[in-house]
Amino acid sequence: MRHLMNPLDFSVEELDRLLDLANDIEKNPEKYAHSCSGKKLATLFYEPSTRTRLSFEAAMLNLGGSVLGFSSADSSSAAKGESVADTIRVISCYADICAMRHPKEGAPLIASMKSRIPVINAGDGGHQHPTQTLTDLLTIRSLKGRLGNFTIGLCGDLKFGRTVHSLIQALIRYPNVSFVLISPEELRIPDNIRDDVLRRNHQQFKEVVRLEDALPELDLLYMTRVQRERFFNEEDYVRMKDFYILDKEKLKLAGPDMMILHPLPRVNEISVEVDDDPRAAYFKQAQYGVYVRMALILTLLGLEGNIC
Ligand code: NCD
C-alpha cells in the first residue's frame, strides 16, 4: 500500500506516468467514468479548503466513486479530543482511500502509519502540499511543453507557503531549472529549503525583494498569497499582505510567453485585470488539479492498469 506525503514519494519516471495518465483523462474522460465504481474517498479536512477538497471530491465522482468526509475540525471528533491516529483507524473501516489536510505539520504522516487505506497529504501546516505540486507540474508540462530548462520566479510568502516548499523540492529533479525567490526580508524561504534542498543540490537560485527586478528574466511566475493563518500577530500580516500586487503595468516588464501560476486562493497579489491576459494560467491550473487527482486516486488504488 502506498501513501503520498511528499512530492518525492514518486520517482521522476512514476511522475511521468502519472502526468501521462492525467493527460489521457483530460482527453478521454468517458474512458474513466466508472473506473472507481464501488470505491469511496474520505476527505478529512481539519483546515479550510475550497479547491483541494472539492477537486478531490470531483475527481472521485468523475471516476464513478463516492465521497464522504468533513470540512472542518469543529465538525469532526477532533473537537472532542480524538487523535488523528484513532480517527484514521476508524475511517479505514469506512473508505478505500483518504485525503487529509491538517494545520499540524506531520499529522497526515502519523495517520499513514496507522492507516489500512492509502493516505494523501492534502496540506500539512506550512510544510508540504504534494497534490498542489502534481497540479503545478501537470500545468507546466501541458502548457509549456516541458519540465526543465526554464527560470521560475516564486513570489510572495515563501516562508509559510507550503506549495512553494513542495514545488521547489519537485523541480530540482528536472534539468536546468533556475529559481528566483522573490519575497520581503521577513518572508524569505526557510533555511532548510535554501540549504538542504537548493544549496546541497547545487541549484541555481537567487533571492530578490523587488518583483520588477525579476520579471524580465522569468519563463514562469508562481505567485502566492501571504498566509494570514500562520502569522503570530495580525499587525505583521497587515504590513505584509499587499507587498506584491501584480498588475497590467508591472506585466509590461515580463516576456510575452511568461506563464503566471497561482495555487489560489488569490487575495490582492494578482489584480483581477490580469485575469484576461493570455499569460494568466491560474484558472486552467485549477482544472488540471482535478485530472491529476483522478490519476493519483487510480494509481494509489492500483487501478490505473485496469482501464481499457
Ligand atoms: C494552497 C494551500 O492550501 O496551501 N491552496 C490550495 O490548496 N490551492 C495555497 C494557499 O492557501 O495559499
Side-chain angles (χ1 to χ4, degrees):
M1 188 178 55
R2 281 190 89 166
H3 308 284
L4 178 67
M5 293 297 125
N6 183 299
L8 304 184
D9 290 349
F10 286 121
S11 68
V12 171
E13 293 71 32
E14 285 173 324
L15 270 180
D16 272 346
R17 282 201 292 278
L18 187 92
L19 301 185
D20 288 345
L21 178 59
N23 283 138
D24 194 54
I25 291 170
E26 176 189 6
K27 285 194 209 87
N28 307 295
E30 68 295 338
K31 222 166 97 182
Y32 300 87
H34 305 289
S35 41
C36 279
S37 114
K39 301 283 182 202
K40 294 192 207 77
L41 165 80
T43 50
L44 314 181
F45 276 61
Y46 295 84
E47 237 193 14
S49 167
T50 302
R51 255 150 308 276
T52 306
R53 185 170 61 84
L54 296 184
S55 66
F56 262 116
E57 297 192 358
M60 192 50 153
L61 296 173
N62 290 345
L63 293 166
S66 13
V67 295
L68 65 165
F70 52 83
S71 56
S72 74
D74 320 341
S75 61
S76 79
S77 282
K80 299 180 186 167
E82 186 174 54
S83 69
V84 158
D86 282 3
T87 303
I88 196 68
R89 280 188 166 128
V90 173
I91 300 296
S92 296
C93 311
Y94 303 159
D96 301 283
I97 184 164
C98 102
M100 176 184 285
R101 168 169 290 189
H102 204 286
K104 282 211 187 102
E105 304 194 347
L109 181 65
I110 290 175
S112 71
M113 290 166 177
K114 300 288 177 193
S115 179
R116 287 192 288 112
I117 59 174
V119 178
I120 300 166
N121 176 4
D124 60 332
H127 188 217
Q128 295 280 350
H129 194 344
T131 65
Q132 181 62 46
T133 298
L134 299 181
T135 303
D136 302 338
L137 296 179
L138 179 65
T139 310
I140 297 170
R141 201 184 77 160
S142 304
L143 301 181
K144 268 258 174 264
R146 64 184 191 275
L147 282 170
N149 300 314
F150 52 63
T151 298
I152 181 168
L154 298 140
C155 176
D157 187 346
L158 307 188
K159 180 176 178 187
F160 295 118
R162 56 193 171 195
T163 60
V164 168
H165 306 160
S166 289
L167 184 58
I168 292 176
Q169 289 199 335
L171 283 179
I172 63 162
R173 299 197 292 184
Y174 297 96
N176 199 20
V177 176
S178 171
F179 297 89
V180 185
L181 307 173
I182 310 153
S183 75
E185 247 342 278
E186 285 139 291
L187 298 178
R188 281 172 70 185
I189 200 85
D191 291 345
N192 69 310
I193 305 276
R194 186 185 305 101
D195 298 335
D196 302 345
V197 180
L198 291 166
R199 285 208 177 111
R200 181 165 302 164
N201 291 288
H202 312 291
Q203 290 296 310
Q204 269 214 34
F205 76 96
K206 64 180 172 189
E207 298 186 77
V208 302
V209 175
R210 277 169 47 87
L211 175 59
E212 292 85 337
D213 295 342
L215 278 171
E217 62 173 311
L218 301 181
D219 300 304
L220 289 143
L221 172 62
Y222 194 91
M223 291 296 288
T224 62
R225 82 182 160 95
V226 175
Q227 305 277 301
R228 180 182 202 160
E229 64 278 31
R230 312 218 190 277
F231 274 68
F232 291 113
N233 69 67
E234 183 71 8
E235 253 168 59
D236 286 346
Y237 168 72
V238 170
R239 207 161 35 79
M240 293 283 114
K241 74 180 172 63
D242 293 331
F243 202 95
Y244 298 109
I245 299 180
L246 181 67
D247 56 18
K248 272 193 168 160
E249 201 46 42
K250 284 203 192 84
L251 259 186
K252 288 185 185 152
L253 297 168
D257 297 324
M258 185 193 75
M259 192 166 102
I260 309 163
L261 296 170
H262 191 311
L264 303 176
R266 156 195 37 203
V267 186
N268 287 330
E269 58 282 353
I270 301 182
S271 161
V272 287
E273 67 189 24
V274 173
D275 297 357
D276 297 328
D277 190 291
R279 291 167 286 189
Y282 31 93
F283 290 114
K284 285 188 202 139
Q285 192 181 354
Q287 175 68 62
Y288 281 117
V290 179
Y291 304 135
V292 91
R293 289 184 174 97
M294 290 170 73
L296 178 66
I297 292 170
L298 287 172
T299 304
L300 292 182
L301 287 177
L303 297 172
E304 78 282 18
N306 294 355
I307 322 290
C308 36

